[in-house]
Amino acid sequence: MMNTKFRVLAFTALAALSATTAAFAEPITVYTPQGEERGIWITEQAAAAGHEIEILSAGGGELFDRILAEKANPQADVVFGLIDAAMASLKTESMFQAYEPAWAKGLPAVYRDDADKMVYKFWQTPIVIAYNADAMDAADAPTSWLDLTKPEYSGKYVIGSSAWQTTKSYLVGILVRFADENGDISDEGWTFMQDLYDNAIVVESGDAKTAAFVNGDAVIDLNWFGGVGRQAADVGYTATIVDTEGGTPFISEGIAIMDGTDQLDAAKAFVDWFGSPEFMIAYAQEFGQVPVHPEAVAGSPMEVQANATLVSPQDIDWDDVAPKIDGWMQRIELDIK
């Protein structure tokens, strides 16, 4: 029985398309954090292109746990929208099968899985520091992630659940600055992490985070790029993004076909369509997301093209750090929070 905390956003494609999708009689099941408005739109676009899908949506951490729990009996055919570290971890658990989509050869190498041909990236998102420009002057804003522990920022920013993809990403981005050649975090790094939490408003829900901005306590937002604008609009303030010293963690979202799917041909067809420059351009036009395929970037609105170079990326080898992340998050949960 499907867990009720996961919401199926759409079940069936348009009946009129049944003749064109006869080869794929059953809808494929897609797991993704892209829910609500985005999930509905993707389902509609897929149906129009002849792909019948069911989207199962939940938070990235919840989906990751569900996929692992279903390892012996996978329920999904395709997974997309989980970030680099999560997809790398699932790959090491032998959850995916090899498939090189039609659009892969046009990707920059950093977004391709040349070694295993399992996970290919389609969007990129910086995890940024932004501030409420109505309540804080630019001269007073932090210029680096390492500035956040300064006394003047005490109680001015929110750290969310470490299960959230965004929170996990910036925590990793901070910790790797304190890693030695073996990838071990120094005592200085763990001391900094303790100071970071001590200086923050720590919450476990999105509503609690929003409340901190509504009541004026929080004025610095640690968020994914699109989430900055969404929260500023919801709360009612002007957000300014900081191009931080030392770089900004960039995450990219991947797509892969589950090992054991009984809908392999339909899954391959969907992956070929989903990551194509044509669909990525349409997605960029609809939601302002920055694609990674050069053809898609070139065909995107000018604002999206500008956003692609708005902040400088931090150099993080996500495949390298992925095996360490669970241990780092566990230490944060047990020893720091």
Side-chain angles (χ1 to χ4, degrees), residues 111-274:
Y111 301 120
R112 296 196 310 264
D113 188 5
D114 290 336
D116 301 305
K117 300 188 184 302
M118 291 184 179
V119 179
Y120 292 85
K121 313 297 176 59
F122 49 89
W123 302 325
Q124 58 92 343
T125 300
I127 307 299
V128 300
I129 294 177
Y131 61 93
N132 179 347
D134 301 328
M136 174 175 280
D137 294 333
D140 297 326
T143 60
S144 165
W145 290 87
L146 300 185
D147 284 345
L148 292 173
T149 57
K150 292 181 176 178
E152 58 263 36
Y153 301 126
S154 177
K156 298 297 184 184
Y157 61 92
V158 177
I159 296 180
S161 168
S162 63
W164 297 353
Q165 291 194 133
T166 295
T167 305
K168 189 176 297 185
S169 297
Y170 65 69
L171 293 177
V172 169
I174 290 169
L175 285 171
V176 296
R177 298 169 189 253
F178 297 95
D180 62 19
E181 63 275 8
N182 298 318
D184 296 322
I185 306 303
S186 67
D187 290 342
E188 180 187 6
W190 290 115
T191 298
F192 180 89
M193 189 59 59
Q194 183 66 70
D195 292 342
L196 182 76
Y197 269 83
D198 289 346
N199 224 30
I201 302 168
V202 181
V203 303
E204 293 295 326
S205 73
D207 288 343
K209 177 181 178 180
T210 300
F213 284 86
V214 170
N215 64 31
D217 290 337
V219 294
I220 298 170
D221 189 17
L222 315 181
N223 211 336
W224 66 285
F225 182 85
V228 167
R230 181 183 301 172
Q231 178 167 271
D234 288 346
V235 177
Y237 63 84
T238 303
T240 298
I241 291 174
V242 179
D243 186 10
T244 54
E245 298 171 6
T248 293
F250 269 61
I251 58 173
S252 47
E253 298 177 14
I255 190 167
I257 298 174
M258 294 294 296
D259 189 45
T261 176
D262 59 0
Q263 294 272 65
L264 184 57
D265 288 342
K268 288 179 177 179
F270 174 75
V271 170
D272 282 342
W273 167 79
F274 183 86

